[in-house]
Amino acid sequence: MNINTLLERILAYSIKVGADECEIFLSRGEAKRLVIGEGQLRDREIALTNGFSLRLLKNSRIGFSYGNEISEPALKKAVDDALISCDFLAPEPLYGFTPPGASYPALPQYTPDELSFRRELDFVRNMEKKALSAKAIAKVDKAALSLVRAEAVIKNSLGLDLAYDTGYCSCSLLAVAQNSGETEVGGEFMAKKHFDVLKPETVAE
Amino acid sequence: MIELTKEDAGNILSAALAKAGDMADIYVTEAENSVIGVEEGQIKKFYSGVSSGAGIRVLQDDLSVYFHTSDLSSKSLYRLATEAGTSVKDGAKTGVAAFDEGAFRGPVSASETDLQMVGELMRELNEYSRSLGGFVKQVAFSCSMGRKNTLIANSWGRFTLRQNSRRRFFVRIVGEQAGQLQTAIATLGDTASELQWDEELLRAKVDEAADRVKLLLGAKAAPSGPMTVILSSTAGGTMVHEACGHGLEGDHIAKGLSVYCDKLGQQVASPKITVIDDATLSGHYGSYETDDEGEPGQKNVLIEKGILKKYMYDIRSARRAGATSTGNARRESYRCPPLVRMSNTYIAPGEDQPEAILADTKNGLFVKKMGGGQVNTANGDFVFEVSEGYIIENGKLTYPVKNATLIGNGPKTLNSVFAVGSDLGFAIGTCGKGGQSVPVGDAQPTLGLSDVIVGGTQS
């Protein structure tokens, strides 16, 4: 069963078992993180994630559930659990899901930065070098670079059917200063939409 | 249920070590969590969900390569392990040892959360909280229940299956009197296999928070300056967790970022002080059967009669120090590599009678309940809030004070202990480190501390 058919079936199921409206949010993402400490590559992480969350309206109550197994039984259980919560939750009479046809500002498609491992490593090493050039900085505990991208789909029982891409890059640094037997630790962080506009020297300073 | 077999796990670990690496492990988990919360007299939060995934790690010298995914098919895990394996540097190859059957741990029973039943209970508790009194301006409470199946296997032959459950109740009450606002919280949490709640226990926690807020509304401003402080066993062990425990974590030690570096075998606290981290305490909030690297949970005596005996380690920090893991590797979820963390950390009871410690104090501050705090592990400096405190005059509690803080330095404070009570009181908390939160317990007996700086607002 393709994903679109599966989501249609779950939306239909939710109405059949008692929801007034239902909406499903699906996301899939990939993240990379590189950390060096004292000049050495210390951590390399890659994350591949997917998951869903589901909210439904019943008698002006909003039930919510989530999971990361995209299958019919898992999504149906999420509908059942969210419906139970509607029996207890306070009403939110002004709440409603978005119908199709609404006007949205045009979003540029997110084009993730494709970087070589060498370029990522050089980036964090240069950031560390800059920090170490400051007076009293004894060492850099961590210099890190993260690259994140994600795709999302939103579909609801009113007919809304949207998809978008997003992502960001970030860098951070944790420096250790020592002077006359005293030790202090300080950190800084920067996040931008794209790698080229990150300012590692600012973070290091 | 996690369907990964030993054969699958062996193949995945072999793929991770195909190029090089000293050790590889895989952590697979399926977690169900539910949260129900009441605010402004209504159930405003009620949700549940399942989160499953796996993390594969390769260690080589100081390098850790960690890849994770929410796709649990053995094909996907094999592919991920192969990719992780290509990230290590060329070097000596190691194989995967046969899994140790003796290390296999069967699941313990844990009931499913009955959402309907917990929802009814929250509704009844909400009714009860309406009868607390006119001083109550706002009541918020929530309960969370979680159940987790975990499989951990490593290339050294460890293969562990674990099932555990945890629950937590939290209540916050804001009181108002003559235009003045005060807040008090109370918590309850454990690792009981039974995920349902006893209404009487929850009512008692609501009463505890309400009584405290009422007391604070009538309290005087706390004085400031150095004074004798008696920390009651009911205060919770925030101080030992923050001001001492974090500094004894092996990763901080390895980086030279702890005031306890290079002090093994040295006197770092009063001879009356013994500090223990114990994951084996039955049912406690910070307890576990095995840590998140599959090592058995342990009782570790960190400081004995004031002498520093041991640091806490996970596999990575232990390798760096030439030591062995102390079973202190923990992670928030499969999305996170393990870090060195505490379990249930406490100061062991001593021989002094708690009543006598108070009676022998001429002037000072009695802390019945601690609030939150923070510490700089590099130099041991800390600041803690006092949630409930009283002035001591001639060995007796005279009046309550509000807005007090304790300011000091971990090692100096532990050296200033002049009395250790024979009692022991536990508290629960959520400890944050490296962007990960894990449940912990802490405890202490009644302690007498000399010359602690109290921050207060009394003019």
Side-chain angles (χ1 to χ4, degrees), chain A residues 41-50 64-68 81 85 87-90 139 141 176 183-184, chain B residues 42-43 46-50 52 64-70 87 116 119-120 123 255 316 334 376 379:
Chain A
L41 177 61
R42 196 186 283 165
D43 292 281
R44 187 171 186 209
E45 294 175 24
I46 290 192
L48 306 171
T49 54
N50 62 51
F64 179 81
S65 189
Y66 65 89
N68 51 8
D81 285 347
S85 66
D87 293 338
F88 295 94
L89 285 158
K139 63 182 172 182
D141 180 43
V176 181
T183 301
E184 292 294 343
Chain B
Q42 296 181 313
I43 297 182
F46 192 134
Y47 63 85
S48 59
V50 181
S52 53
S64 164
V65 175
Y66 190 72
F67 285 23
H68 70 81
T69 178
S70 50
S87 295
Q116 193 83 37
E120 294 292 352
R123 205 177 249 166
K255 293 173 190 170
R316 190 181 183 190
Y334 70 88
N376 180 342
N379 56 26

Side-chain angles (χ1 to χ4, degrees), chain B residues 28-181:
Chain B
V28 188
T29 187
E30 254 180 5
E32 300 170 20
N33 285 294
S34 308
V35 177
I36 304 179
V38 171
E39 276 178 49
E40 297 167 352
Q42 296 181 313
I43 297 182
K44 289 280 181 84
K45 201 169 14 176
F46 192 134
Y47 63 85
S48 59
V50 181
S51 173
S52 53
I56 295 166
R57 181 175 65 154
V58 185
L59 295 179
Q60 184 188 39
D61 302 323
D62 276 348
L63 171 66
S64 164
V65 175
Y66 190 72
F67 285 23
H68 70 81
T69 178
S70 50
D71 182 350
L72 290 185
S73 66
S74 46
K75 193 176 155 190
S76 160
L77 295 176
Y78 186 83
R79 194 167 57 233
L80 197 69
T82 306
E83 282 180 41
T86 59
S87 295
V88 294
K89 295 170 278 185
D90 287 323
K93 277 190 180 185
T94 51
V96 178
F99 290 126
D100 178 4
E101 289 292 335
F104 181 94
R105 285 163 187 267
V108 295
S109 67
S111 63
E112 238 179 270
T113 305
D114 185 335
L115 293 177
Q116 193 83 37
M117 195 185 283
V118 182
E120 294 292 352
L121 179 60
M122 291 296 104
R123 205 177 249 166
E124 285 164 21
L125 204 59
N126 189 28
E127 285 303 314
Y128 176 72
S129 68
R130 289 174 203 272
S131 63
L132 289 173
F135 64 95
V136 174
K137 186 174 171 61
Q138 203 178 74
V139 180
F141 54 88
S142 67
C143 63
S144 56
M145 292 107 350
R147 199 166 71 130
K148 199 191 259 191
N149 289 312
T150 309
L151 181 155
I152 306 160
N154 73 25
S155 60
W156 295 343
R158 179 77 70 194
F159 189 93
T160 301
L161 277 172
R162 189 178 76 188
Q163 185 176 56
N164 61 358
S165 54
R166 227 173 222 104
R167 59 183 185 169
R168 178 175 183 263
F169 176 76
F170 171 91
V171 55
R172 184 185 68 235
I173 296 182
V174 181
E176 185 178 27
Q177 189 173 283
Q180 182 213 162
L181 294 173

Side-chain angles (χ1 to χ4, degrees), chain A residues 16 20 23 28 33 97 120 129 137 139 143-144 172 177 191 204:
Chain A
K16 187 178 155 195
D20 300 327
E23 184 169 277
R28 188 171 59 186
R33 183 165 179 260
F97 294 159
E120 294 170 9
K129 199 171 158 186
I137 298 299
K139 63 182 172 182
S172 61

Side-chain angles (χ1 to χ4, degrees), chain A residues 12-142:
Chain A
Y13 171 78
S14 70
I15 304 299
K16 187 178 155 195
V17 295
D20 300 327
E21 293 173 28
C22 181
E23 184 169 277
I24 303 170
F25 174 89
L26 282 184
S27 79
R28 188 171 59 186
E30 186 177 329
K32 292 198 282 185
R33 183 165 179 260
L34 190 69
V35 181
I36 62 166
E38 297 177 59
Q40 294 297 311
L41 177 61
R42 196 186 283 165
D43 292 281
R44 187 171 186 209
E45 294 175 24
I46 290 192
L48 306 171
T49 54
N50 62 51
F52 72 89
S53 67
L54 177 151
R55 54 182 186 157
L56 49 80
L57 271 175
K58 183 187 172 190
N59 298 332
S60 300
R61 272 104 173 149
I62 309 150
F64 179 81
S65 189
Y66 65 89
N68 51 8
E69 182 188 330
I70 317 288
S71 70
E72 190 162 356
L75 283 155
K76 280 185 170 174
K77 183 175 185 308
V79 169
D80 296 341
D81 285 347
L83 275 172
I84 290 174
S85 66
C86 289
D87 293 338
F88 295 94
L89 285 158
E92 305 250 13
L94 299 178
Y95 219 91
F97 294 159
T98 309
S103 170
Y104 299 99
L107 289 175
Q109 180 144 1
Y110 185 74
T111 310
D113 299 296
E114 298 295 343
L115 304 175
S116 67
F117 176 62
R118 170 55 54 192
R119 193 166 168 211
E120 294 170 9
L121 198 56
D122 286 347
F123 177 94
V124 283
R125 283 204 167 127
N126 288 336
M127 186 163 61
E128 181 190 47
K129 199 171 158 186
K130 176 75 180 170
L132 287 171
S133 67
K135 196 180 166 189
I137 298 299
K139 63 182 172 182
V140 169
D141 180 43
K142 273 182 191 173

Side-chain angles (χ1 to χ4, degrees), chain B residues 3 6 39 52 56 64 68 74 102 128 135 153 176 184 198 205 237 256 293 308-309 319 328 332 376 416 423 428 443:
Chain B
E3 288 169 356
K6 284 187 178 178
E39 276 178 49
S52 53
I56 295 166
S64 164
H68 70 81
S74 46
Y128 176 72
F135 64 95
E176 185 178 27
D198 174 351
K205 283 290 158 186
E293 289 178 325
L308 180 56
K309 291 287 183 183
R319 288 173 77 237
N328 284 95
E332 184 178 287
N376 180 342
S416 76
D423 51 352
I428 67 161

